[in-house]
Amino acid sequence: MKQEYDQSNILDCPIADVQQIIHGKWAMVVIFYLRDSTLRFGELSRKMPQVTQANLTKELRALEKFGLVHREVYKVVPPKVEYSLTDIGQRFIPVIEALETWAIDYKNTGHVTQ
Amino acid sequence: MKQEYDQSNILDCPIADVQQIIHGKWAMVVIFYLRDSTLRFGELSRKMPQVTQANLTKELRALEKFGLVHREVYKVVPPKVEYSLTDIGQRFIPVIEALETWAIDYKNTGHVTQ
DNA sequence: CCGTATCCAGAGAGATACTG
DNA sequence: CAGTATCTCTCTGGATACGG
């Protein structure tokens, strides 16, 4: 039988909490693309062709649930849905920027992913 | 049959590359604990009681493989193994710090994980 | 003390087809 | 246009036991 443990207080380490929110494979990439502008579902989807619509929807729903992304539905035909970062979502941008800096550094020092 | 695709060039988005490296559940937590000092395996293990030894080993091997963590083995009895951040590993610390700042912000604005 | 070797279960990522 | 609905399948995290 699987052992029970309290996922809400994994460690006295704030990083572990973040992991709860940003564990999706495409979570940070979505935030990356939304940082400058509001995007429609199709626009986002075209920027991330490797992600299926189903998975993109799941990721967006997760980010919405955790309050990082706002979903605005327009009652028009054809349907129009726009995604944008919330306030706390915007405050995540410095993390993305630090990550970008590091990624470039990583490549420039001869490291390779995979 | 599963379709082949090039994982090394997923998107023209540097964040996607980082995801290749930092996808382990405990990767960032390990870096968090190693940022100030070199730690022995047992010390690290005690700081992260939720992680089994097997998984901690796996994560450390992965981080070593990607060049973020250095593993120093002392040929003594009993065995002594020390882990520390490499140069490129140290340069990841700003990301961790940005993440910490955000995590605190996230909680202070009434958000909850889970 | 610091691991390795197995095994298993579940989450999640992908493919595909369909709908208001 | 912007999703659902399924189904599969891999990955990896967790449990447990053993080894130099």
Side-chain angles (χ1 to χ4, degrees):
Chain A
M1 187 179 295
K2 189 179 179 184
Q3 192 193 325
E4 286 290 331
Y5 58 93
D6 183 7
Q7 293 212 348
S8 65
N9 185 22
I10 298 184
L11 294 170
D12 54 346
C13 165
I15 307 299
D17 295 325
V18 177
Q19 155 69 15
Q20 288 272 87
I21 301 168
I22 311 292
H23 59 15
K25 185 171 179 179
W26 305 106
M28 298 225 254
V29 179
V30 168
I31 298 173
F32 172 83
Y33 282 120
L34 285 180
R35 77 169 157 181
D36 292 321
S37 57
T38 293
L39 290 178
R40 296 184 60 170
F41 183 85
E43 293 175 311
L44 208 45
S45 189
R46 255 169 275 122
K47 286 176 185 293
M48 307 165 66
Q50 291 80 358
V51 191
T52 61
Q53 287 193 339
N55 286 331
L56 182 55
T57 300
K58 282 180 204 164
E59 199 60 75
L60 285 166
R61 289 288 189 283
L63 289 170
E64 189 190 4
K65 171 187 158 198
F66 285 117
L68 306 208
V69 161
H70 172 69
R71 180 168 178 263
E72 184 75 36
V73 182
Y74 296 88
K75 290 282 182 179
V76 294
V77 181
K80 176 178 172 181
V81 181
E82 285 188 344
Y83 292 92
S84 57
L85 294 182
T86 61
D87 193 46
I88 191 70
Q90 304 250 9
R91 274 182 255 160
F92 196 82
I93 293 175
V95 178
I96 300 290
E97 283 168 350
L99 227 30
E100 274 188 87
T101 303
W102 183 83
I104 292 163
D105 221 14
Y106 187 78
K107 290 205 164 181
N108 286 347
T109 51
H111 294 86
V112 281
T113 48
Q114 193 176 171
Chain B
M1 187 177 294
K2 190 182 180 185
Q3 192 193 324
E4 285 290 331
Y5 58 93
D6 182 8
Q7 293 211 349
S8 65
N9 185 20
I10 300 184
L11 294 170
D12 56 344
C13 163
I15 306 301
D17 295 324
V18 176
Q19 155 70 16
Q20 289 272 92
I21 302 167
I22 310 292
H23 58 14
K25 185 171 179 178
W26 305 106
M28 300 225 255
V29 180
V30 168
I31 298 174
F32 173 82
Y33 282 119
L34 285 180
R35 74 168 162 182
D36 292 322
S37 58
T38 293
L39 290 177
R40 296 184 60 170
F41 182 84
E43 294 175 309
L44 208 45
S45 189
R46 256 169 275 121
K47 286 177 185 291
M48 306 164 65
Q50 292 79 358
V51 191
T52 62
Q53 286 193 339
N55 285 332
L56 183 55
T57 300
K58 284 179 203 168
E59 199 60 74
L60 285 166
R61 288 288 187 282
L63 289 170
E64 190 191 4
K65 172 188 158 198
F66 285 117
L68 305 209
V69 160
H70 173 70
R71 179 168 179 262
E72 184 76 37
V73 182
Y74 296 87
K75 290 283 184 179
V76 295
V77 181
K80 174 179 173 182
V81 182
E82 286 187 344
Y83 293 93
S84 57
L85 294 183
T86 61
D87 192 46
I88 191 69
Q90 304 250 9
R91 275 183 255 159
F92 195 83
I93 294 175
V95 178
I96 301 289
E97 285 169 348
L99 227 29
E100 274 189 87
T101 303
W102 183 81
I104 292 162
D105 221 14
Y106 188 78
K107 290 205 167 183
N108 286 347
T109 50
H111 294 87
V112 281
T113 49
Q114 193 177 164

